[in-house]
Structure formats: structure tokens, C-alpha cells
Amino acid sequence: MTEWDHVTVNDPRGPVNSGEGPQYVFYGVGPDWMIRRGIASLRITREDRVRLADRFVPPPGYRVAADRLEQPGSVVLLDGPPGSGRRAAAIMLLHGFGTDEDADEEEGVRFEELPVTAKDQGRDESPLAPGEGDRFLLDLSGIADEETYGKARHRLALHRSDVQKAGARMVVVLPSGMEHAHAPDLEPHRVTLGRPRGVSVVTRYLRMDRMLFLPSDLGSGDLRRLYDRSPMRELARLAGLVTTARDSGRFGIDFAGWLDQAVHAVTDRADEVGRQVAEARTVPERTLLLATAMLEGAHADIVYEAWHGLMGTVGYEQEATSELARTDFGERLKTLGIERGAEGRLRFERLAYADAVRTYFWANFPGARDDLMKWIAGASGLSGLTTDDRVNVALRFGECSLAVGRPDYLFGLVEHWANQATGTICDPRAVTALELGLGHQEFGGRFRRQVYECAVRSGPLPDGLARVLITACRQSLGATHPDQAMVRLHHLAVREGKAAHEAQEALLELTGRDLRLYRLLIGRLRDRARGGPRRAEPHIRLLAELLRSDRTPKPPPWPVLFQGWETVFSQPPTELWNPLVSGWLSTVASDRAQERALELMVGATHGRTAALHRLYVIACDWARLARHPAQVAVATRFWHHIDHAQYARAESTGRAGAGPRTTEETR
């Protein structure tokens, strides 16, 4: 029995778009590798919104929705037929109320997608708390049952009230087929969108890809049927496939040839694969077809090895005859329509055929999926595969798993790959697979919940898995759901293990560029610091690091800093005080605008004698190493604040004339 023999899987669901269409970027661990294939994700950063805006065709009803969203505090509910681009319209509506360039994000104005249900959140996550000008997307289009929709309507009512009070804006994408269940009080906010002209969508995408063509080139009967029936994402994929055909150099030199390949790819491939699989009835033929589809682009020798591994995994016993007596590998490839490139890498002769093969096998051989998962776990690690090859396999497996509603397959491999990593290296397959899940429109909430459960689980967490979670929070979740990323990184940062320091750095990086998150984290750490000395210490240590002068946003949020200093100065470990206080003294010496830190740090002790003594000793040690008169002057002003606090404390306790103050005695 292998470690995969005990894996159980369940809970099938619906499809996900995949293919050779628009190229999306998945960043991995470190700057040296990335993969440029995948499916549309939840990322709604400014860069992604700008790209969408260049290609967006407003549907009928869009102007009405934009007018209703004009007033701060507005909530607009978008209705419309599935596939009409409601989500893209929602993002563009909110994007239209941003400011020029990146000023909105730099000033902390939020553009976030909200969790659909409470299941998508951790138990200790903060409520919404919107600010003026914030923009929120709530996509309910994936809801298919009335019970879930009822819970979502309750959350919507709470969010709507918060948004209206704060002067923020929110756009909600309503589920299809639930018209009878809509709340009557929301009816005035509902706008029905029509379907954009399909030819306009395809034209816009092709123009942005610098494709040269005439309007008459897009007028065939097959295309008109696609314009009228296909979802907007499929029309975008069609345009992307035209570009892929052009760039590959394998399908002629004119637009008509590229377009013909693309149209066949989105209309005929499923039937073509079905016929080929029906004709290829032997296990060697079918497994070679699938192995090539999963590893397309890899070297032929590696695909050969993976193919034999797949035959073994599904229980096929090869012939006892010598290999030289069997059909040679090249002949098998040729029979299946697979060609070997100049560098020995395999690819199918027809555009996007590998996508259709993968989709067909996953949809029509459900009993083989467990075997396929076990095979992928090993095949993706074969020596000779490049990092891009490995990540391609992870993406393709992930797309197939999510397409048949099996996110558990994907997360199972995330854990398997993550725990294989050695040293401080993150497995790129695990990171890519997890980011794919986090960015999935239907299953993203489930993956966020699983990341949370891993972060808070009792007992040890393998360092490899922890590093994958940290990387995904930093690169993916931090962009789409920063509050949730902060919560998960916080839990990972206070765990035991080598990866805790990396989680802390990722957390400080995330909150350091967002004042709202910075404030939220200080509040969380202060709350956790009340849990008794032993339980509070990791939170106190993290808080002291967060309060360092070089970590603080500019201009400093003084009231929040004061609250943080109160917590640090009220309990051990006191060795944290020295770097914290010394750093602020140095900052004040170089920037007189930060002078207020001196008074507030002293005030945060609330006059406790032992705390004031410690601050004084720290300042003395710092001043002793001073190389500039400005530093001595800062120390002197700090001592004066300490003297004043001691005097005020003595007066309040009736000891004003009891004797000289501690700082005077020491000096």
C-alpha cells in the first residue's frame, strides 16, 4: 500500500473554463519562475481591472447600473442570463469609481470581493467595517439552492447597511433562477443586464491582441451561432485561441486559417476526442493519449516514462515480449495525432486538442480519477521535467479536478507536494495548485477555509506546507482577500516551527503597505495579548516588531501606536523594549517630525515606576553611543518626559515631596 491508497474523495460539482486562450500569470516562489497558463481567477487588483477595461464591452443596462451606483453608499444588484458577463460588468462598475492611476490603492481605499457565506471565513475574522470610498463585490452567481441563498441574503442585508452608513459602494451579482427568492426590499436596487453583442466582444479582444482582420472575416454562420449562444468567457477564449494559433507558427500565416483552427477548437474538439477514444480501445493507446495531454510540451522520453507509469497505476500488465517486438513509440504517437517537435517535445497536431482530451477523460472515466491522482503525484516529479513542465502538470490536474467538482483532489496534492519539499524551498507545484484553487470562482471560499483550518490546527504543521500557505497568502490571497490573508498569516506567524519567521515577514509586509490592515493587526495582537503570559508572548513579540519605527506607515498613526505601546509596556518579555525604544529614539533624532513618539511612549507606561525606570535605562544606553549632538538632545527631551510622568505619578499618590526623581538620581 502506498501513502495514496487511503485517500478518499467526494462531493462532485460543476465545470471550470480551461484551455489555450487568454494567458494568465501565476507567480511562484521567488522571482526566477512563473507559469503563464491557467484559468480566470478572482484577482481584482488594479492591473487586472485595467486589462479587463481594455477588453470590456458594456452590456445593455450597464449605464442604468452605473447611474444608480453614482451616489456614495449605493448598492446595486445585477441580474441577467448566465454567461452574459455579469461578474465582469460588476468589476467594471466598481472600477469606474476609482481615482487616476494607483492613488486609490495607495491611500488604502479597498477594492475587495466579499465571502459569500460564513463558511468561507475563519472563526476569528473581523466584520466588514467599510470605509468611505471602499468598493466591494459580492458574487452570488454560483449559488444553486434556496437555503444557501437565504443565508447569503442575510449577509447581504448586513453588508448593505454597513456600506450605506460608510459611504462605500457595493455591486452584487445575483444567482440565476432564483427570482422568486429575491428579497422585496432589494427590488429597487436590482438592474437587469442584457447580453453584449458577441461579435463586439470577439472584435475587442482581437484588436487588443493586435490582430489584423476585416469585419467581414467575423461573419460566418458558425461564428454567428457562437455569438448568440456562448458565454462571454468562451468568446474571450475563442479570441485567445486565434492569437495562440497565430503565435505558434503551426497553422498558416493568415487570419482565416487561425480563426478556423480556433472555431474548431471551441466547437468540434469534444466530438473529435470522443471518436478517437472510441477507436483507440486498448489501454496502451488510451493511457498514451492521456499522458501526452497531461504532459504536453515535455520531452518525449519523459512522456514515455510517465506513460508506462500510468499503465502500471491503472493495473495494466504489459506484454512479456521484448519491446523491440512491439509497435515502436514513434508509430504510436503518429497514430494518435501527436507530433515530436524539433527539441523532442511532444504536442498534438490540432489546436487545443490536449485540453479536450483531458476534459473528456475526467468527465467520462470517473472511476479512474483516484488512480489518476496517484499517478500525477509521482509523474509531476519525474527527473527531466523543467519547473515549467511540473507547474503545467499541476495546473492541468487542478483544472480537471475543479471542472468535475473535486477540489479535495487538488488540496490533497497541495499537501502531498508541499510535504515533499526539503530545506527552505517551496514546491512550485503546490503553490500553483493552491493559488489556482484560491482563485476559483466556485471553490475559492472552500480553499480559503482549508488554508485557515491548516493555520489554526492543533499540533505541528509541516514546514513545507506552512511555506506553501505563506506564499499563497502573500501572492494570491493578499491581493483578493487581504483581511483573510492577514488572519491566516497571523496564525502561522505565532506557531512553532522554522516557517514562523517567514510568516511573520509576510504578515509585516502585507500590513506595512495598508494602514487599515496595520490598525487591524495591532487590534488583533492586543486582544491576543490578554490571554495570560505564556499564551500572550508570541503575540507580544509580533506586536513589538510591528511597532518598530521602520515598520510604521507614514505618517504614523499615533493613537494606534500608543495603544500598541501600552500593551508591550504592560507585561513581559521586557527584552523587547530595547530595540523598540532605541529605534524610535534614532528616528526622532533624524526626523524631528516624529517628536511625538517620545511623549507617547512615556505616556503608554501610565506612570508605572518600573516601566519608567526601564525606559530611562534604555535611553541612557542609547545616548552613551551617540555620535551626534542631536541624539543627546533627543535623549534629554525623553528624560524630561519621564521626569514629568514620575512627578505626575507622585502627585497622584500624595508623594510629591518624597524626594528626588529617579532620572535625576541616575544622572
Side-chain angles (χ1 to χ4, degrees):
M1 174 180 289
T2 71
E3 65 180 293
W4 286 101
D5 289 336
H6 69 280
V7 174
T8 58
V9 289
N10 47 49
D11 191 26
R13 277 190 178 77
V16 65
N17 179 39
S18 63
E20 295 187 56
Q23 304 296 294
Y24 299 95
V25 177
F26 287 81
Y27 292 98
V29 186
D32 295 331
W33 69 273
M34 64 177 64
I35 179 67
R36 294 172 296 279
R37 293 176 51 107
I39 60 175
S41 79
L42 295 176
R43 288 180 63 91
I44 47 178
T45 59
R46 184 169 186 83
E47 178 184 356
D48 302 309
R49 302 194 312 262
V50 169
R51 185 182 187 279
L52 177 59
D54 288 338
R55 292 159 175 78
F56 180 67
V57 176
Y62 183 85
R63 190 64 259 166
V64 175
D67 290 342
R68 293 194 184 178
L69 199 63
E70 186 76 34
Q71 186 69 24
S74 298
V75 176
V76 172
L77 287 70
L78 298 184
D79 210 346
S84 59
R86 292 166 296 163
R87 179 183 173 85
I91 294 173
M92 287 297 93
L93 284 168
L94 293 168
H95 178 68
F97 289 95
T99 56
D100 292 340
E101 300 185 4
D102 292 328
D104 53 334
E105 293 179 0
E106 290 176 359
E107 295 172 6
V109 175
R110 301 160 71 182
F111 193 125
E112 294 177 22
E113 178 160 8
L114 302 177
V116 174
T117 66
K119 291 191 303 182
D120 297 345
Q121 293 182 283
R123 294 180 295 273
D124 60 341
E125 293 188 35
S126 303
L128 180 58
E132 184 178 359
D134 287 349
R135 292 164 285 167
F136 300 102
L137 169 66
L138 180 60
D139 189 350
L140 308 181
S141 62
I143 294 178
D145 62 277
E146 291 192 30
E147 181 181 358
T148 304
Y149 186 39
K151 295 177 181 177
R153 284 202 316 269
H154 176 68
R155 290 174 65 85
L156 169 57
L158 298 176
H159 293 334
R160 176 190 168 202
S161 176
D162 293 337
V163 165
Q164 289 175 332
K165 291 176 183 176
R169 291 180 175 86
M170 180 167 69
V171 177
V172 183
V173 182
L174 294 173
S176 298
M178 293 280 181
E179 291 78 6
H180 61 285
H182 293 339
D185 62 316
L186 293 176
E187 190 62 26
H189 305 279
R190 185 168 68 92
V191 176
T192 300
L193 299 180
R195 180 183 172 86
R197 293 182 67 236
V199 65
S200 299
V201 173
V202 173
T203 299
R204 189 72 173 262
Y205 271 80
L206 292 174
R207 295 293 188 208
M208 292 306 300
D209 286 338
R210 294 189 170 92
M211 191 70 65
L212 299 177
F213 61 95
L214 298 173
S216 58
D217 294 332
L218 301 179
S220 71
D222 287 342
L223 280 172
R224 284 196 295 270
R225 284 189 287 274
L226 290 174
Y227 300 151
D228 294 338
R229 301 173 187 173
S230 295
M232 293 300 108
R233 65 179 178 274
E234 286 300 316
L235 294 181
R237 179 174 179 248
L238 170 67
L241 286 170
V242 176
T243 303
T244 300
R246 177 194 65 185
D247 296 345
S248 71
R250 296 194 293 134
F251 303 104
I253 59 173
D254 64 339
F255 179 79
W258 306 327
L259 180 61
D260 182 64
Q261 283 289 330
V263 170
H264 281 296
V266 299
T267 57
D268 302 333
R269 290 294 184 254
D271 291 340
E272 291 174 3
V273 172
R275 288 192 296 270
Q276 184 176 27
V277 173
E279 294 169 0
R281 305 203 63 85
T282 68
V283 172
E285 288 177 302
R286 290 182 173 181
T287 50
L288 178 55
L289 196 63
L290 180 56
T292 305
M294 293 301 300
L295 278 77
E296 186 180 37
H299 194 276
D301 290 352
I302 306 300
V303 176
Y304 179 86
E305 184 179 353
W307 167 46
H308 279 265
L310 179 55
M311 285 193 288
T313 301
V314 299
Y316 176 75
E317 296 185 7
Q318 299 188 53
E319 307 167 25
T321 60
S322 167
E323 180 168 355
L324 293 176
R326 306 173 203 159
T327 304
D328 69 74
F329 188 49
E331 184 63 27
R332 291 182 185 273
L333 295 175
K334 184 177 180 180
T335 301
L336 295 175
I338 301 167
E339 61 184 25
R340 200 180 324 218
E343 296 180 356
R345 295 182 175 272
L346 298 187
R347 63 193 180 195
F348 285 92
E349 295 172 353
R350 285 166 281 189
L351 180 67
Y353 198 77
D355 298 340
V357 170
R358 295 192 295 269
T359 300
Y360 184 89
F361 273 96
W362 275 86
N364 293 289
F365 294 91
R369 291 173 189 163
D370 284 5
D371 287 337
L372 293 179
M373 183 174 70
K374 298 172 189 176
W375 170 68
I376 286 293
S380 62
L382 290 173
S383 59
L385 288 176
T386 67
T387 300
D388 279 353
D389 291 335
R390 297 176 197 275
V391 174
N392 269 324
V393 172
L395 274 175
R396 292 163 183 167
F397 173 82
E399 292 169 2
C400 292
S401 299
L402 298 176
V404 296
R406 303 306 298 264
D408 51 322
Y409 278 142
L410 187 55
F411 198 80
L413 279 187
V414 168
E415 293 189 277
H416 174 73
W417 285 327
N419 293 334
Q420 284 188 323
T422 58
T424 60
I425 302 300
C426 244
D427 192 300
R429 297 168 297 177
V431 175
T432 301
L434 181 54
E435 289 189 339
L436 183 68
L438 288 169
H440 191 263
Q441 188 168 342
E442 181 179 358
F443 297 116
R446 177 178 297 196
F447 278 86
R448 294 195 298 274
R449 182 71 185 186
Q450 287 180 296
V451 172
Y452 177 84
E453 295 297 341
C454 286
V456 302
R457 72 167 59 158
S458 59
L461 183 69
D463 283 336
L465 179 57
R467 289 191 174 95
V468 168
L469 301 180
I470 293 164
T471 303
C473 284
R474 173 192 281 130
Q475 296 176 173
S476 180
L477 198 57
T480 61
H481 298 78
D483 292 52
Q484 294 193 8
M486 180 193 71
V487 169
R488 287 148 183 75
L489 287 172
H490 176 199
H491 285 293
L492 292 166
V494 296
R495 294 184 66 93
E496 295 183 357
K498 298 177 181 177
H501 178 71
E502 297 171 31
Q504 175 179 303
E505 288 301 315
L507 178 60
L508 296 173
E509 174 189 323
L510 176 68
T511 56
R513 59 175 183 257
D514 189 321
L515 180 58
R516 183 186 62 84
L517 290 179
Y518 184 83
R519 288 171 170 157
L520 277 178
L521 182 56
I522 286 180
R524 280 182 63 85
L525 294 173
R526 293 182 70 233
D527 290 341
R528 301 310 186 277
R530 301 189 181 106
R534 184 174 179 182
R535 294 177 59 187
E537 182 172 337
H539 305 286
I540 290 289
R541 290 186 177 278
L542 187 52
L543 179 58
E545 188 69 23
L546 184 66
L547 294 169
R548 275 176 28 186
S549 59
D550 57 340
R551 300 275 192 192
T552 304
K554 302 293 186 292
W558 296 116
V560 179
L561 291 176
F562 178 81
Q563 293 170 350
W565 288 328
E566 274 185 320
T567 302
V568 173
F569 294 157
S570 67
Q571 57 193 299
T574 53
E575 69 266 17
L576 301 176
W577 298 22
N578 197 319
L580 176 61
V581 175
S582 297
W584 274 101
L585 293 176
S586 297
T587 295
V588 174
S590 61
D591 182 3
R592 192 66 184 270
Q594 313 303 321
E595 180 82 16
R596 194 176 177 190
L598 305 180
E599 179 183 1
L600 291 180
M601 280 193 294
V602 173
T605 67
H606 293 286
R608 293 186 300 274
T609 301
L612 291 172
H613 285 184
R614 180 165 292 277
L615 291 187
Y616 179 74
V617 171
I618 292 171
C620 286
D621 291 341
W622 177 80
R624 191 174 299 116
L625 301 175
R627 298 181 177 180
H628 194 279
Q631 293 176 285
V632 177
V634 167
T636 301
R637 295 196 297 276
F638 194 49
W639 291 327
H640 287 163
H641 286 299
I642 295 173
D643 286 342
H644 179 74
Q646 284 188 303
Y647 183 77
R649 173 83 171 185
E651 273 195 331
S652 67
T653 58
R655 299 177 61 250
R661 295 183 290 277
T662 302
T663 57
E664 295 293 345
E665 291 173 351
T666 309
R667 289 204 293 272

